[in-house]
Every structure is written in C-alpha cells, then in structure tokens.
Amino acid sequence: MPNILEGKVAIITGATRGIGKAIALRFASEGCDIAFCARHSDLIPDTENALHQLGRKARGYVADVSYMEQAAQFVENVLNDFGHIDILVNNAGITDDSAVKRMTQEQFARVIQVNLGSVFAMTKAIQPVMWKQGFGSIVNMGSVVGIAGNYKQANYAASKAGIIGFSKSCAKEFAARNIRVNVVCPGFIETEMTADIPQELMDTWCSRIPMKRPGTTDEVAQACVFLASDMCPYITSVVLPVCGGMEDA
Ligand code: NAD
C-alpha cells in the first residue's frame, strides 16, 4: 500500500513532544513533509532529526500561535520554505486547572486564548492559502472534556467545546472550496505528563474507560492521518472521539 500522505506538506502546531510529536512522526512515516512549531527552540532539533531519519523534509519554527501576528508569520515562512501547504493540524494546547470558584479571569482567558485563539489565528492565516489552491484539510485537536465537561477544567472544557463550534462553522464556510475541517477528541492519553501519575490513580481513571487502558499518542496520530488524508474526501465537520469508548464522549 502506498504511503497515504505521500507528497503532502503538513503544518503541526506544538509538535516537540506528546501528541503533536507523535502526529509529526506518523505523518512523516506516511510520506508527508512536516513544518512544525514550538514556543521555544530547545526541543526543535530533536524532532527535526527524528523526522529527517524518516527521510522527510522537516523544519521547526519558533512561534507562539496564540498570537495572530506570530501565526501569520509562521504560515508565511512555511509557504516560502515548502512551496505549498496541504494539511494543518492545530494541536497546541495547555491546561491550567482549578475549581470555578477559585479560577481567576487570567487563568480562564489564557487557556481560551491558547487553545481556541490559536485555532482561530492559524485558520485565519492558512485560509487564503487553501482557498487559493482549492483544497486542504484542517484537523483540530479537541478533547472528550469539550464534549462532556470535567471537574476543575471549566476553562479547558470551554476552549475545547469552542473548537468544536468553530470547526463546524469553518467546515460550512470552506466546503465549497474543498477545504475540510474536522475535530479529533482524545480521551485519556498516556504522555510524558501522565508518567508521574500514581498507579492507583491511573487504575481509577482506567476503570472508567471501557477499553480499560489509556490511549497512546500514536493512536491519536492515526486518527489524524485518516482525517488529513485523501481517504475521506467527503468527510468534513466531524467530531471523532479517540477515547476507548469513554461513556460521555
Ligand atoms: P503537551 O503539553 O505534551 O504538548 C502540547 C504542545 O503544545 C507542546 O509542545 C507545547 O509547547 C505546545 N504549545 C502550547 N502552547 C503553545 C503555543 N501558544 N504556541 C505554540 N505551541 C504551544 O500536551 P499533549 O498531551 O501532547 O496535548 C496535545 C493536544 O492534545 C492539546 O491540544 C491537548 O489539549 C490535547 N489533548 C490531550 C489529551 C491527553 O490526555 N494528553 C487528551 C485530550 C486532548
């Protein structure tokens, strides 16, 4: 079977670790050239080297995509360096958890700005490029928390729910130009961040998952490959949970 992303160029935000890095590696192994960003330069060479080892063109850029100007500059640089952009994966995201009664306005606003504002900023920057070429696939990283809500994550849940509404609106606006917009909603995924969680707590969380285990970053990446690829040219405006069957999703 040929590589299903052969010849394509993808932008992936926040790809120096976790789910974003897994998406970059999986896309590259499917034949895709990769432009990615991170807020700091320190981890960029590691990801670039890993992607080069897979035989792909790859370049990391320093950009905080929650700011309109930096997102626009990032897209412009990628276009100059790669010539075209077929796929955008808006993966960058943060959490800053607390109960609503203790949550500050800054805590609320920053999570919305990074998680939802970055999706707006990157979509706005890429839209003219994809519009002009008459095709494109945008995959936005939601969360099951954006569907079901979660304790002490009202800011994060609101940002991820916002991504769903935003994506569905863009899907409608962009469909006539063959630009698809879909959302992947991971459940509980094992990353560097979850490595320090005590086993007892992990077991409690896993007991609520019908598949009785956390997902892997590559399992999220595989869903992104499908939605980004030409395997689903008639799929847009879809919200795809990748969560082992978690009840609320
Ligand atoms: P992570 O913290 O390991 O990685 C997030 C990446 O985004 C990092 O590389 C970080 O530097 C980057 N980033 C953050 N803010 C940025 C900004 N303003 N500009 C540029 N880059 C920025 O997190 P992760 O677990 O890999 O999560 C990746 C995405 O998946 C996030 O959107 C997260 O909300 C979502 N998600 C994760 C889980 C999970 O269980 N890990 C579950 C559901 C959804």
Side-chain angles (χ1 to χ4, degrees), residues 15-17 21 36 38 40-49 192:
T16 51
R17 66 181 205 191
K21 187 171 184 179
F36 64 95
H40 313 288
S41 60
D42 44 355
L43 294 176
I44 284 179
D46 277 0
T47 306
E48 278 180 344
N49 290 340
E192 291 94 326

Side-chain angles (χ1 to χ4, degrees), residues 14-20 37-39 63-66 91-94 114 141-143 156 160 186-189 191 193:
T16 51
R17 66 181 205 191
I19 292 172
C37 75
R39 281 166 302 179
D64 182 333
V65 288
S66 66
N91 166 77
I94 59 167
V114 172
M141 198 57 65
S143 167
Y156 181 75
K160 295 298 187 180
F188 178 32
I189 306 299
T191 62
M193 280 184 345

